[in-house]
Amino acid sequence: MKTQPDQYGHFGIFGGRYAAETLMPALIELEKAYRACQKDKTFQKEFEWYQREYSGRPTPLYYASRMSESLRGAKIYLKREDLNHTGSHKINNTLGQALLARRMGKKKFIAETGAGQHGVATATVAALFGMECKIFMGEEDIRRQAPNVFRMKILGAEVVLVKSGTATLKDAMNEAMRYWVSSVRDTFYIIGTTAGPHPYPQMVRNFQSVIGRETKKQIMKLEGRNPDVLIACVGGGSNAMGTFYTFRDEKNVAMYGVEAAGHGLHTPEHSASINGGKVGVLHGNKTYLLQDEHGQVRDAYSIAAGLDYPGVGPEHAYFHETKRVKYVTITDKEAVAAFSFLSLKEGIIPALESAHAIAYAMKMAPKMARNKIIVICLSGRGDKDAQTIIETNAL
Amino acid sequence: MGRIGDKFEALCGSKEKALIVYLTAGDPSLSVTKKLILGLEKAGVDILEIGVPFSDPTADGPLIQMASQRALKSGTTLEGVLDLVTEVRKVSEIPIVLFGYFNPIFAYGVKKFAHIARKAGVDGVLVVDLPYEEAKELRIYTDAVGIDFISLIAPTTGSERLTKIAADATGFLYYISITGITGTAAPKIDNIKTKVNKIRKITKLPVAVGFGISKPQQAREIARFADGVVIGSAVVRLIDENKNNRDLVKIISGYVSGIKKVLR
C-alpha cells in the first residue's frame, strides 16, 4: 500500500489541514518539530524508555481461554492496553506528544476528552513533566465519567466544563480549538485521537502503532504466525489505527473496526460515522461525518463516552474507501452484554468502548474454526464505567 | 473588477475607509436579516459579510456561536442564504461576502455553489477553515466565475507565508487583529499597524482589519492605516438584544452610522 499521508496530510481524498489561519503556522511548526523527532534516535530512545519504565510496556497479549472455549470457535487473544499506566492506550500518545512539546519549549498543555481517558493520560504527563494543563470536557461527560474527572483534578489539571452543543466530545474539541487559537504561542494541544488537522492523524497513529508492532512480535512468538483477524473499536480511532497500522500490508490479516451503533443505526442515536455518515470537513480534516443534508454536524450518541464523536480519523476513512478494513457496528445493548461477559469469563472489566470490540468478536468467533486466531485490542479498563452500568441498570 | 474592487476604488477617490459589517444570516430570521441588510446599506455600510451559520464554528467567540445556533434553529440553510442574496440583489448593489465554514458549502456541492452564488449576486467568499493549502478545491470553481476569495492573515502568519497568501488573494485581505476568536479581546493598535504596514509592502490589495473591534474610537485609529474595518460580534450582540424591539433596524443603523462617521 502506498505510504500515506502525502506531504499535506492527505490520505487519498481524506485528511488535510482545514484549520483557521491563526493555527496554520503552529501546525506547520509542529510538523517540522515532529519530523525532526522522527529522525532523532535520542528522541526515539527517550520515548521507548518512558513507555517501558513509566507506562509498563510491552503490554501482554493474553490468551482468553475461558472466553474462547465458551464461544466454541476461534482462539481469542486480548492485547491488554488496559494494563498501561492510567488504564488505557491513551498514554502511548500523550507520552509521545509531551516529549515533543518539551522539545519545542512549550509549557502548557491543553486537551479535549470524552470518556476522560485521554484527559487523564494528558493530566498524567503534564504532572510528569511539570506542565500546566487544561482539559476541556463536555458537561454531560463530566457527569457520566465522574471518576476520571477526579483523577484529572488529583493530577493537578484544570477541568474546563463545556456546555455548548450536546456537551460531549465534539463540543469539547471545538472549545479546545478555540482556546488554542487564543493561546497558540505557548500552548501545545495534545489531540487524543487520529483526527484533527495534519500532522495529528499521522503523528498519533505513529505514537499508537506500538500496539500493532508488539502484537505482531508476540503472536509470532506464541503462535508462529499472524492472526487471522484483528478487531478494535473506532470512535476517532486511535487504538484501532495503532493496532491495524503494522498489519496494513499483510493481506492475510482481516481487520474489523467497530463503530458504536448506540440505540441502532435506524435511529438518530449512534456514533457510526462511516456506516451512517457522509464525507465532510470538521475539526481540521476531511472524513466521514454524521451530518444533515445541509452540512450541519449531527450529535453523536453512544453509551461509551469515548466513542461518542460524529467524525472518524481520516486514515480510517481511507481504509474504508480502499476496503482494507471492514467497518462494522455494535449497539449499546450488545456492548453492555460483552462488558458483562468478559468480566465474568476472564475477570477483566473492559471499558465500554473496548466492549464494542469484544462484542463483535463474540459474533465472529463461533463462526470460525478452532485453529483460527482473533486478536482484540482491549483498549481500556472499565472501572470508569461502573456508574453508567449501575445507572442504566444494564446488568 | 467586481463590486468589491469598485467599492474600494470609489472609497479611495472620496478618501473614505470601508465599513464592513458582519451579521449572521437567519438570526433571528432570514426576513429580519433582509430588512437589516437594507437598513445597513442606508446607514452607510460599504460591504456586507453575511454569515452562513454552522453547527461547529471553531473560530468564533460566544456571541457568534450563539447567533449561529439561533439561526440554525430558525431553519437557516446555505440555500436559504443564497435565496436571500438573490432577493437583496433586486434592490441593492452593496458588495456581499459570504462568511462561514467549509462543510455547508461542501455538502451543497462546491461547483453548484459557485454557480448559484454568482447568479444570486455574491461577490466574495471567506471560508474560515479553508486556508491557503486547501483553498484550491473551492477556488477552481469560484475563481472561474469571478467570485473573490477573501484571504485571512493572522498575527501568527509569518512573512514567507504572507507573501504566498497575498500573491493569490483577490478582493481584499482580511487581517485578524487578535490572536484569538471573534469578538473576545480588544486589539492592540500598535501591533496591528506594524503588521498592516508589512502587508501593504507586498500587496496592492486593500487591507481590512477585524475581530474584536466594537468602538468608534478603535475604528478611527485603525482606519488611519487600514482600508477598512470589520464590525461583527458587536452588531450581532445588538441584534440579539433588540430582536423584539420594533425599532431594531433603526437601532442597528444608528450604531453603524456612528462608526461610519469616523471613517469619512
Side-chain angles (χ1 to χ4, degrees):
Chain A
M1 198 175 270
K2 222 173 90 194
T3 307
Q4 301 283 346
D6 71 11
Q7 59 164 326
Y8 298 107
H10 297 113
F11 301 86
I13 65 157
F14 304 104
R17 203 178 247 159
Y18 297 83
E21 176 58 26
T22 309
L23 296 179
M24 288 301 287
L27 291 167
I28 292 165
E29 179 201 356
L30 172 63
E31 186 192 353
K32 277 192 189 138
Y34 175 59
R35 295 264 171 271
C37 284
Q38 274 183 302
K39 286 185 204 133
D40 182 348
K41 286 218 169 84
T42 12
F43 179 88
Q44 295 304 333
K45 278 220 167 102
E46 200 178 19
F47 183 38
E48 280 160 25
W49 187 87
Y50 278 102
Q51 288 188 321
R52 189 176 64 242
E53 303 297 327
Y54 187 70
S55 184
R57 299 207 75 91
T59 58
L61 184 67
Y62 165 76
Y63 172 51
S65 62
R66 293 235 307 147
M67 178 179 179
S68 304
E69 273 156 34
S70 76
L71 293 172
R72 300 166 183 277
K75 284 176 90 168
I76 296 171
Y77 284 90
L78 303 176
K79 180 59 176 164
R80 297 291 308 273
E81 291 301 300
D82 60 317
L83 292 178
N84 274 308
H85 178 44
T86 74
S88 83
H89 71 292
K90 292 292 186 188
I91 191 92
N92 302 335
N93 169 47
T94 59
L95 273 174
Q97 289 197 47
L99 288 167
L100 178 57
R102 196 169 68 166
R103 289 218 162 187
M104 292 171 74
K106 305 279 178 182
K107 297 269 186 279
K108 296 175 183 169
F109 291 165
I110 55 167
E112 82 293 339
T113 197
Q117 295 300 88
H118 175 59
V120 168
T122 302
T124 298
V125 294
L128 175 64
F129 297 120
M131 307 273 187
E132 269 180 53
C133 184
K134 270 193 187 18
I135 306 291
F136 294 83
M137 191 168 184
E139 193 174 28
E140 168 62 14
D141 289 339
I142 287 182
R143 191 192 61 76
R144 58 181 169 168
Q145 304 288 333
N148 275 342
V149 176
F150 290 125
R151 289 167 77 197
M152 287 183 260
K153 287 184 177 165
I154 290 166
L155 291 160
E158 182 193 341
V159 180
V160 182
L161 179 133
V162 177
K163 284 187 168 177
S164 54
T166 39
T168 61
L169 183 53
K170 168 185 86 127
D171 310 289
M173 196 150 178
N174 286 343
E175 216 46 48
M177 288 185 95
R178 288 184 188 116
Y179 183 84
W180 199 33
V181 169
S182 316
S183 64
V184 62
R185 291 179 207 270
D186 66 350
T187 300
F188 191 102
Y189 183 9
I190 301 189
I191 292 184
T193 190
T194 49
H198 180 60
Y200 283 101
Q202 178 186 17
M203 180 168 74
V204 176
R205 171 195 81 195
N206 291 347
F207 287 144
Q208 290 292 0
S209 63
V210 65
I211 304 173
R213 279 199 309 277
E214 281 179 13
T215 300
K216 182 153 174 87
K217 213 186 273 174
Q218 290 165 321
I219 200 76
M220 281 299 168
K221 202 165 160 201
L222 291 161
E223 297 278 353
R225 67 177 186 90
N226 271 338
D228 299 288
V229 169
L230 294 174
I231 303 176
C233 65
V234 176
S238 71
N239 88 83
M241 193 48 72
T243 307
F244 297 161
Y245 191 65
T246 304
F247 295 93
R248 69 194 180 284
D249 291 325
E250 312 265 1
K251 298 244 154 39
N252 53 357
V253 180
M255 307 200 270
Y256 293 82
V258 186
E259 296 194 303
H263 293 145
L265 286 187
H266 60 285
T267 75
E269 292 180 313
H270 63 79
S271 303
S273 323
I274 291 179
N275 283 284
K278 280 186 310 193
V279 179
V281 172
L282 179 71
H283 294 152
N285 66 100
K286 187 183 281 177
T287 187
Y288 284 93
L289 288 181
L290 299 180
Q291 55 183 320
D292 70 13
E293 54 175 322
H294 304 293
Q296 305 300 340
V297 180
R298 269 189 24 216
D299 297 320
Y301 163 81
S302 166
I303 192 170
L307 302 181
D308 199 344
Y309 180 68
V312 64
E315 196 163 11
H316 283 293
Y318 177 72
F319 279 165
H320 170 69
E321 203 79 353
T322 56
K323 300 194 163 62
R324 179 60 193 95
V325 176
K326 193 162 186 302
Y327 293 88
V328 295
T329 62
I330 283 293
T331 62
D332 278 6
K333 223 173 174 176
E334 292 169 318
V336 169
F339 174 92
S340 167
F341 178 81
L342 193 71
S343 302
L344 294 172
K345 287 291 175 208
E346 297 288 350
I348 297 171
I349 304 175
L352 275 171
E353 291 77 13
S354 322
H356 284 72
I358 304 288
Y360 197 73
M362 288 165 65
K363 283 187 174 177
M364 269 193 98
K367 295 180 206 152
M368 293 168 66
R370 298 253 176 165
N371 62 352
K372 296 287 183 187
I373 300 166
I374 295 177
V375 171
I376 306 169
C377 182
L378 186 61
S379 53
R381 52 196 276 174
D383 314 38
K384 68 181 179 64
D385 296 311
Q387 190 64 30
T388 304
I389 295 291
I390 292 164
E391 274 177 25
T392 50
N393 217 355
L395 288 184
Chain B
M1 211 166 7
R3 290 188 193 91
I4 294 173
D6 291 346
K7 175 58 90 176
F8 274 107
E9 212 171 75
L11 288 169
C12 193
S14 59
K15 300 222 157 40
E16 277 178 53
K17 297 302 171 77
L19 173 59
I20 303 168
V21 167
Y22 168 95
L23 76 179
T24 303
D27 174 34
S29 70
L30 282 173
S31 58
V32 173
T33 304
K34 187 183 165 193
K35 281 183 205 150
L36 283 165
I37 288 173
L38 300 177
L40 287 168
E41 186 184 20
K42 269 195 208 131
V45 171
D46 298 297
I47 297 174
L48 273 172
E49 273 183 17
I50 302 185
V52 179
F54 180 49
S55 51
D56 296 82
T58 49
D60 283 302
L63 287 166
I64 296 181
Q65 280 174 48
M66 287 186 289
S68 304
Q69 283 303 319
R70 290 191 297 266
L72 290 174
K73 269 211 183 114
S74 80
T76 310
T77 62
L78 176 55
E79 200 169 359
V81 178
L82 291 169
D83 289 344
L84 168 74
V85 176
T86 306
E87 285 300 305
V88 169
R89 271 289 165 260
K90 288 180 184 162
V91 291
S92 165
E93 284 299 305
I94 190 166
I96 291 177
V97 174
L98 292 191
F99 181 107
Y101 295 79
F102 188 47
N103 201 49
I105 297 174
F106 184 78
Y108 187 82
V110 280
K111 194 174 172 182
K112 179 176 155 200
F113 168 76
H115 175 69
I116 306 279
R118 172 80 284 182
K119 226 169 77 180
V122 170
D123 303 293
V125 287
L126 197 167
V127 188
V128 184
D129 54 352
L130 210 54
Y132 179 81
E133 286 80 352
E134 305 289 353
K136 206 171 71 189
E137 98 181 76
L138 178 63
R139 290 192 66 170
I140 49 170
Y141 301 110
T142 49
D143 285 1
V145 296
I147 293 178
D148 287 327
F149 188 84
I150 313 301
S151 300
L152 293 163
I153 307 285
T156 49
T157 310
S159 316
E160 201 183 314
R161 188 171 171 79
L162 173 61
T163 310
K164 261 196 326 197
I165 294 172
D168 280 1
T170 53
F172 62 91
L173 281 167
Y174 186 133
Y175 180 66
I176 302 171
S177 64
I178 51 172
T179 308
I181 50 180
T182 54
T184 49
K188 292 200 177 70
I189 305 291
D190 287 344
N191 298 354
I192 303 171
K193 187 175 176 183
T194 313
K195 196 72 182 237
V196 169
N197 288 338
K198 219 166 152 186
I199 300 171
R200 288 218 177 284
K201 281 196 189 122
I202 56 163
T203 181
K204 290 207 167 86
L205 282 177
V207 181
V209 176
F211 277 45
I213 303 170
S214 60
K215 298 188 178 70
Q217 179 60 21
Q218 294 168 320
R220 188 201 316 265
E221 286 176 43
I222 289 168
R224 288 199 182 113
F225 52 84
D227 301 299
V229 295
V230 188
I231 313 279
S233 299
V235 171
V236 168
R237 179 204 294 262
L238 213 52
I239 293 172
D240 186 44
E241 285 170 354
N242 296 285
K243 63 185 167 205
N244 297 321
N245 191 326
R246 68 160 78 142
D247 289 332
L248 172 66
V249 176
K250 208 192 265 176
I251 292 164
I252 308 299
S253 301
Y255 171 73
V256 299
S257 61
I259 305 246
K260 181 61 195 183
K261 215 185 293 171
V262 306
L263 302 178
R264 283 198 173 107

